Amino acid sequence: MGGPRISTADVSATEAFDWWAAVQSESMTPCSTQPLPGGPFSASIGSCVESEPISIAQLAISGSITHRNHRHIARSDTQYVLAYLTTAGRFDVRFGGDFLRAPAGTMFVVDGQHPQEAIASDFEAIMVRVPRELLLSATGLSEDDFPRARRLQPVGHEALVIDYFRRLVEPPANALGNIAMLNAGIELLAAALALGVEQRPDEPAANSLLRQHVIAFIRANLGNPGLTVDRIAFACGISRRKLFGLFTDIDGGPMQLLRQLRAERAQELLIATPDQTIAAIAHACGFTGERNLYRVFRAETGITPGEYREHVLHGHPAPAP
């Protein structure tokens, strides 16, 4: 798992930029960097997870220009692909004569094996780092086809990838301790890169993308109490057998996933709408009645909806199930 958030606020103003330049080059990827003019420099990074297959962190930079050249690349023991899901500000990358911009809501994937220049301005992002060799293998692409840089837009299958990483770091981030969930993130990135060059991704990556498509459909239709396995499969254009095959890691398969997602939605509504009755929340989440909500909610969280609301609204963490 990750560590504490570190920030230029932890050092003096005169040391801030040099300190950050060292953090960036040593902890993220070898590079050289300089601040943008126009104001005091600030930056921070909070590691969410550091593991062999993937590292994820939350990043903020007031303004900088970062260069990665052949000398930096030669210094790297492992070549990485970096992906930035921009949540605020701007991130621009130049590769030779090519220029790409990643505004808020998009995700930018950068192959660290090539020289590049990146400009960050009032930039906040979820940063994902994956060993290049691992991601290349997952795409099924050749070296010639593997993209130097790719911007993912929040539409179609690319929106599924963006939404996956956004949700992955949202509290409670229990999924960050699950290697299968982290590997699924790698496969989703791989699928997006392969489809970006109009090649079919390898089967694991394609299945991860299809799984996210099913999850997105279920989330969008949680309020429908008539949602069944057959209706989910039909809407997603797959067979019942394929649907169950996508969720072999979940005891109870897709219907258990549906119950889990309904319980998560109930948790959100219990806090976001404190004046709403439990019965109204049960209806909004697609439960057939208040008693059904209580049963599923308690099985998933270990407490009742009322107890959950009471704990969280009074500033206490909800008891672990």
Side-chain angles (χ1 to χ4, degrees):
M1 294 296 288
R5 191 172 188 84
I6 57 175
S7 168
T8 52
D10 301 327
V11 299
S12 68
T14 56
E15 299 174 311
F17 182 76
D18 289 340
W19 175 86
W20 174 252
V23 168
Q24 188 176 23
S25 189
E26 294 170 12
S27 300
M28 294 162 60
T29 189
C31 59
S32 59
T33 187
Q34 62 190 78
L36 289 176
F41 178 81
S42 63
S44 65
I45 184 169
S47 176
C48 301
V49 63
E50 294 181 17
S51 70
E52 194 65 30
I54 191 171
S55 298
I56 303 173
Q58 292 181 298
L59 180 69
I61 307 173
S62 62
S64 69
I65 303 177
T66 300
H67 299 272
R68 182 166 165 81
N69 56 32
H70 289 293
R71 177 173 52 84
H72 297 124
I73 295 167
R75 280 171 45 200
S76 304
D77 294 330
T78 303
Q79 301 297 341
Y80 290 99
V81 173
L82 295 176
Y84 300 92
L85 170 48
T86 308
T87 54
R90 228 178 69 192
F91 186 71
D92 302 335
V93 177
R94 289 188 177 89
F95 286 85
D98 296 330
F99 169 83
L100 286 174
R101 171 164 291 172
T106 63
M107 190 171 198
F108 200 77
V109 187
V110 185
D111 183 357
Q113 186 164 282
H114 299 282
Q116 60 198 251
E117 176 188 80
I119 303 173
S121 179
D122 295 324
F123 177 61
E124 296 178 18
I126 298 166
M127 185 188 76
V128 181
R129 189 181 73 169
V130 182
R132 183 181 188 276
E133 184 176 350
L134 185 63
L135 188 59
L136 175 62
S137 175
T139 63
L141 297 174
S142 67
E143 281 283 354
D144 290 340
D145 289 330
F146 194 72
R148 295 187 301 172
R150 177 87 198 288
R151 182 178 59 207
L152 307 184
Q153 303 279 12
V155 294
H157 67 269
E158 294 177 359
L160 300 175
V161 182
I162 291 172
D163 187 59
Y164 181 87
F165 283 104
R166 180 182 287 112
R167 288 181 180 274
L168 195 62
V169 301
E170 288 177 349
N174 298 329
L176 290 174
N178 186 317
I179 292 298
M181 293 291 288
L182 298 176
N183 285 335
I186 297 173
E187 290 166 356
L188 283 171
L189 275 178
L193 294 178
L195 290 170
V197 294
E198 298 182 348
Q199 291 200 25
R200 179 173 176 80
D202 281 0
E203 185 175 0
N207 283 341
S208 289
L209 196 60
L210 181 56
R211 176 182 168 121
Q212 284 307 114
H213 172 62
V214 171
I215 292 173
F217 171 79
I218 294 174
R219 287 188 194 279
N221 292 275
L222 284 177
N224 179 3
L227 202 57
T228 63
V229 166
D230 287 335
R231 289 181 179 178
I232 294 169
F234 179 79
C236 295
I238 57 177
S239 66
R240 279 177 56 96
R241 182 177 180 180
K242 181 65 173 181
L243 178 61
F244 276 92
L246 292 172
F247 298 99
T248 55
D249 58 316
I250 299 177
D251 290 339
M255 290 310 291
Q256 175 59 23
L257 171 66
L258 176 59
R259 288 188 286 270
Q260 291 173 357
L261 293 177
R262 281 179 168 154
E264 289 177 10
R265 177 69 58 82
Q267 290 180 62
E268 295 170 0
L269 293 178
L270 284 164
I271 305 309
T273 57
D275 296 329
Q276 196 170 28
T277 66
I278 303 296
I281 288 174
H283 176 75
C285 296
F287 290 103
T288 54
E290 190 172 345
R291 181 178 296 180
N292 191 19
L293 167 60
Y294 271 87
R295 180 178 59 79
V296 172
F297 196 93
R298 186 156 201 161
E300 293 297 324
T301 67
I303 57 176
T304 69
E307 289 170 336
Y308 178 85
R309 176 180 267 172
E310 183 74 14
H311 274 85
V312 177
L313 290 180
H314 286 82
H316 305 296

